[in-house]
Amino acid sequence: MFKESKILITGATGSWGNELVTQLLDMKPNKIVIYSRSELNQVNMQRKFNNDKLKFIIGDIRDYNALKQASQGIDYIFHLAALKHVPICEEQPYEAIKTNILGIENIIKAAIENNVKKVIDVSTDKAVDPINVYGMTKAIGEKLIIHANTITDTTKFVCIRAGNVLGTNGSVVPYFINQVKKFNQITITDLEMTRYFLTLKQAIELLFKGITNSVGGEIFVMKMPGYKISDIASIIKDEFGDENCKLKEIGKRAGEKLHEVLISRYEAENSYIYDNDYYVILPQIYIPGLKEYYNKLNLKPLNKEEYSSKDYLLGIKEAREMLVKGGFISEKT
């Protein structure tokens, strides 16, 4: 699919972008445009890959003209750029709106203007039944991406939803490890909190699943187990701390949920089992040909009231295996 193609990745200098570029280069594209705001991260990435197929552009998705120019001649857009930190978005909601909503609008307009074949937007479990600014802006971004399929026949738009990715910038596991090393304690907002987790490799697999299998208008969701945050914290405490290392419960932050949901009770009736690893959510709005296509696939319905991180909880043994697989702790002999 990507052989000799031209690809644009927004927000490409983060953990997702680095892994995505690594895998895309093996697929022999003609060009990959790295579009992001961070000069230093672009320099580091350029030195890391040292590949003539990569073109680096300093730009902001808030800047439509710059984005339109960067999208010229592009076949596929992977949209990774976002403001993602829940407390920051709560404190500065207008900035979240500019990036996560107006930025999506710019992506859509630029893609349609340049006849891009397909756009894939990376969304989050926070967009489901959102109670914080980050989730609300991402939920609106999803709606805009899905709606874009009704205003063009040339460009197809699709979303994926993922839970927490191990080891990405600002994620909880490196944060816990740093807390233990610096303060010999871990702060947890609520000991009963559960979250989805997946490895970076799995996250990129989900991206490729969405962009290669989509018709346009769907949301792809990976089947993911949930874990108790306290289990993950306990493992890290034992691995990196001493006998005095403690878990300290500090209370939920503004806009923080106890459990996360990847498919809401309102979406469940339009959700189907795509295969052994993925669900697909069809939109409530009409997109020509979409439901007809999926009717032919004869997929089984979800048959759940919702898909929540507390529905299928794995224990501390599985949490340890996940952290070993992610390279954060050593395997016990």
Side-chain angles (χ1 to χ4, degrees):
M1 179 177 184
F2 302 111
K3 187 176 181 181
E4 298 183 0
S5 64
K6 296 177 182 178
I7 300 163
L8 171 69
I9 308 173
T10 70
T13 54
S15 306
W16 280 65
N18 273 265
E19 179 64 25
L20 177 58
V21 168
T22 299
Q23 295 191 33
L24 280 172
L25 285 172
D26 290 337
M27 301 176 188
K28 311 298 182 185
N30 182 274
K31 180 174 71 172
I32 302 175
V33 177
I34 308 299
Y35 187 89
S36 74
R37 297 186 300 179
S38 174
E39 178 186 20
L40 177 60
N41 287 344
Q42 286 202 9
V43 170
N44 291 337
M45 195 171 180
Q46 193 167 14
R47 290 170 178 169
K48 171 186 173 181
F49 285 99
N50 191 28
N51 192 306
D52 292 339
K53 289 187 176 180
L54 301 188
K55 180 180 179 181
F56 292 83
I57 297 177
I58 299 291
D60 195 321
I61 59 170
R62 301 177 181 188
D63 184 342
Y64 171 68
N65 289 327
L67 190 58
K68 182 175 71 170
Q69 185 174 358
S71 303
Q72 289 179 358
I74 293 295
D75 298 304
Y76 303 102
I77 295 177
F78 290 86
H79 179 46
L80 310 183
L83 288 184
K84 304 172 184 176
H85 195 60
V86 170
I88 294 297
C89 291
E90 290 297 298
E91 294 164 6
Q92 302 184 62
Y94 293 108
E95 297 305 310
I97 290 169
K98 290 175 189 175
T99 297
N100 297 349
I101 297 177
L102 300 181
I104 284 277
E105 182 184 14
N106 290 337
I107 290 282
I108 292 167
K109 290 194 298 183
I112 293 173
E113 176 73 20
N114 288 299
N115 295 315
V116 173
K117 293 177 182 177
K118 191 172 284 187
V119 176
I120 184 162
D121 172 51
V122 176
S123 192
T124 168
D125 48 16
K126 307 294 190 299
V128 185
D129 290 341
I131 64 169
N132 53 56
V133 172
Y134 170 51
M136 291 173 182
T137 57
K138 291 297 286 184
I140 293 173
E142 282 187 1
K143 294 291 188 182
L144 292 175
I145 283 287
I146 299 306
H147 178 267
N149 290 280
T150 69
I151 58 178
T152 176
D153 295 325
T154 304
T155 305
K156 301 301 180 183
F157 296 85
V158 62
C159 290
I160 66 157
R161 266 189 209 149
N164 299 286
V165 178
L166 286 173
T168 54
N169 295 334
S171 61
V172 70
V173 172
Y175 177 66
F176 282 171
I177 293 173
N178 187 58
Q179 278 194 316
V180 173
K181 290 181 176 180
K182 282 190 173 182
F183 309 110
N184 204 35
Q185 75 167 15
I186 295 176
T187 56
I188 300 180
T189 55
D190 193 304
L191 292 173
E192 296 303 313
M193 184 171 288
T194 65
R195 288 293 182 267
Y196 297 106
F197 284 97
L198 73 166
T199 65
L200 195 52
K201 182 179 179 182
Q202 289 174 317
I204 301 307
E205 288 174 357
L206 178 54
L207 262 183
F208 286 140
K209 171 76 76 168
I211 203 163
T212 56
N213 291 40
S214 58
V215 178
E218 313 98 312
I219 300 174
F220 280 89
V221 176
M222 178 179 280
K223 297 179 183 178
M224 300 172 61
Y227 299 88
K228 290 185 71 172
I229 294 293
S230 57
D231 283 347
I232 292 171
S234 295
I235 295 166
I236 292 171
K237 174 179 74 69
D238 294 341
E239 185 78 13
F240 297 99
D242 58 28
E243 66 275 7
N244 296 316
C245 188
K246 305 291 184 183
L247 302 184
K248 182 180 179 182
E249 190 172 17
I250 60 174
K252 286 189 292 183
R253 300 173 296 181
E256 193 170 48
K257 291 181 180 179
L258 189 61
H259 308 290
E260 291 292 359
V261 177
L262 274 169
I263 301 176
S264 77
R265 60 191 181 277
Y266 304 111
E267 296 170 317
E269 63 184 23
N270 290 317
S271 300
Y272 299 87
I273 301 169
Y274 189 81
D275 58 22
N276 290 333
D277 300 311
Y278 298 91
Y279 300 120
V280 62
I281 305 171
L282 301 185
Q284 293 178 336
I285 64 172
Y286 175 70
I287 296 175
L290 181 61
K291 288 196 174 180
E292 292 82 355
Y293 172 83
Y294 277 95
N295 285 338
K296 292 179 182 178
L297 297 184
N298 198 28
L299 300 179
K300 293 182 179 179
L302 179 64
N303 282 334
K304 291 176 180 283
E305 289 187 5
E306 66 175 17
Y307 179 34
S308 166
S309 59
K310 64 178 171 47
D311 291 344
Y312 177 40
L313 279 177
L314 297 184
I316 198 162
K317 177 185 175 182
E318 291 83 3
R320 168 170 277 278
E321 291 171 353
M322 176 188 66
L323 292 173
V324 169
K325 187 175 181 180
F328 295 99
I329 63 173
S330 58
E331 188 170 4
K332 285 186 175 180
T333 56

